[in-house]
Amino acid sequence: MPRSDFLFTSESVSEGHPDKVSDRISDVVVDAYLAAMPEARLGVETLTTTNRVIIAGEVRGPDSVTFKDLEELSREAVKDIGYEQDGFHWKNNDVQIYLHAQSADIAQGVDAAGNKDEGAGAGDQGIMFGYASDETPSLMPAPIYYAHKILKDLADARKAKQGDAAKLGPDAKSQVTVRYANGRPVEATQIVLSTQHLDESLDSADVRAIVEPYIRAALPKDWITEGTVWHVNPTGKFVIGGPDGDAGLTGRKIIVDTYGGAAPHGGGAFSGKDPTKVDRSAAYAARYLAKNVVAAGLASKATIQLSYAIGVSKPLSIYVDLHGTGNVDEAKLEAVLNDAIDLSPRGIRTALQLNKPIYARTAAYGHFGREPDADGGFSWEKTDLADKLKSALS
């Protein structure tokens, strides 16, 4: 039987964390190519370090997107994040780009999948997981949902130069430990927040005075109690941050990107990949299905696994675990989900409208639990399948 009383912790990192800066730049490159050619193919990695950005990988796309364009877009991304520091500055960074043509061996697996159905095959093998829980309005696990929210609210205040929040820098990390009682989240027992600050004279107490109102506003009103333990800038000083403090790489924050450890992860990163890569698109589809299962009232928690082989259009397997909270047969639900949308890579891209420049916005504060955008961003967060699933299982 699942435990009903326990503590669970998740962490998040801000858009200024060096790995997230790298994710953002890689996804800016993806968006640039998809805007010029919706069927572009990319596998892009970015390294960020002191005053340097290195972009490398494989591309199949139009020549109209130039390295000069990509350099300017990367600088704009760093500027938007807020880096204007001696060790990492949007204007002064040395930007190096090493992109080359996609391997023909990989391309043929996607382009000519058995029935020669252009674009139908998976771009790689792999397993992907989707998860949903009714413990928050966005159907996300509470620890990661609130860890993200704390950092997003602080970033918004910093960029808007709201009071003393203007003294903070772009690099930050949060961690929230949540106590569950009878299987439901009820309070925050530990709160960790480390944030870069531009004023060297600030100590931990000063930083706590700045951030505490935002943290209290981000969490449910009764979650912070007299027993809640705070750890704000526990090392005392955090002035050197971002890629000047630690090198950043694309794809190193996959648990932050998904469910904060509350659900399995297939292992593949998302950022820097076009939607033919099932690491990205099938993980979005699995979340879409899991969220709609919970939104339909078929369970209060759902984990869904999909698996693929390179060049093969259909998933090799679909697995559903309702964690003992479901009111439908899991095997029957697996069959229904297989029919709910076309789970070939091209079918996913079509159903979720993924061949669009919608990815830079996913690079920080999680790929899941976000509101769908009017232009198709975060389409996998819609719950428009819920009624269809209920009808199929009634």
Side-chain angles (χ1 to χ4, degrees), residues 47-387:
L47 163 68
T48 54
T49 187
T50 301
N51 287 324
R52 182 160 296 176
V53 172
I54 300 173
I55 303 170
E58 303 77 45
V59 172
R60 191 174 83 185
D63 293 336
S64 59
V65 181
T66 67
F67 282 8
K68 182 63 176 176
D69 295 332
L70 299 180
E71 177 184 342
E72 291 305 311
L73 288 169
S74 73
R75 293 189 189 280
E76 290 173 14
V78 172
K79 182 180 181 181
D80 180 67
I81 291 168
Y83 278 111
E84 295 184 336
Q85 300 163 21
D86 289 342
F88 198 74
H89 195 297
W90 65 270
K91 186 183 294 184
N92 302 327
N93 282 338
D94 176 19
V95 180
Q96 301 175 31
I97 301 176
Y98 303 97
L99 296 175
H100 60 83
Q102 182 190 47
S103 162
D105 293 344
I106 293 175
Q108 72 177 352
V110 178
D111 295 342
N115 59 1
K116 309 300 181 185
D117 191 6
E118 169 69 22
D124 202 353
Q125 71 177 49
I127 58 174
M128 299 83 206
F129 289 92
Y131 180 76
S133 169
D134 68 357
E135 60 195 63
T136 62
S138 65
L139 305 187
M140 286 288 287
I144 188 67
Y145 176 83
Y146 291 111
H148 284 324
K149 184 167 174 44
I150 288 168
L151 293 183
K152 181 65 166 63
D153 290 353
L154 281 170
D156 290 345
R158 170 180 60 83
K159 290 181 172 183
K161 300 187 183 303
Q162 293 178 5
D164 286 341
K167 297 178 181 179
L168 304 179
D171 193 358
K173 301 177 79 171
S174 66
Q175 189 167 286
V176 180
T177 299
V178 175
R179 182 173 70 86
Y180 285 73
N182 296 318
R184 307 301 296 178
V186 296
E187 69 171 315
T189 63
Q190 306 264 351
I191 296 171
V192 183
L193 191 287
S194 294
T195 180
Q196 185 185 16
H197 50 96
L198 306 180
D199 184 343
E200 294 195 32
S201 69
L202 298 180
D203 60 19
S204 296
D206 296 325
V207 174
R208 176 169 172 174
I210 295 171
V211 304
E212 184 171 342
Y214 295 97
I215 294 173
R216 287 184 177 275
L219 295 176
K221 187 175 180 180
D222 57 349
W223 273 31
I224 297 177
T225 70
E226 291 185 359
T228 300
V229 180
W230 294 73
H231 307 274
V232 176
N233 279 22
T235 61
K237 184 178 179 181
F238 186 3
V239 174
I240 299 171
D244 188 31
D246 291 290
L249 290 171
T250 300
R252 286 204 298 195
K253 289 292 177 285
I254 58 177
I255 301 304
V256 171
D257 286 343
T258 54
Y259 308 102
H265 191 290
F270 302 155
S271 291
K273 297 175 181 176
D274 74 84
T276 67
K277 312 295 192 296
V278 284
D279 278 340
R280 181 167 222 161
S281 55
Y284 291 170
R287 161 65 178 173
Y288 177 60
L289 293 175
K291 186 172 184 180
N292 276 272
V293 166
V294 175
L298 304 177
S300 59
K301 291 182 181 181
T303 297
I304 293 173
Q305 185 203 59
L306 304 175
S307 69
Y308 291 85
I310 188 168
V312 179
S313 62
K314 296 296 184 181
L316 308 185
S317 64
I318 301 173
Y319 168 78
V320 173
D321 182 359
L322 301 181
H323 304 277
T325 71
N327 52 47
V328 295
D329 179 73
E330 289 165 333
K332 184 176 181 181
L333 179 57
E334 289 168 357
V336 168
L337 293 177
N338 193 37
D339 294 333
I341 66 169
D342 179 356
L343 288 171
S344 70
R346 189 174 66 174
I348 293 169
R349 297 196 303 276
T350 300
L352 298 181
Q353 299 182 315
L354 298 182
N355 282 42
K356 294 181 177 182
I358 55 173
Y359 297 106
R361 71 194 73 169
T362 69
Y365 313 117
H367 292 244
F368 308 126
R370 312 280 288 273
E371 286 296 317
D373 293 330
D375 66 352
F378 300 104
S379 59
W380 49 93
E381 291 298 310
K382 294 181 179 179
T383 55
D384 52 351
L385 272 185
D387 289 342

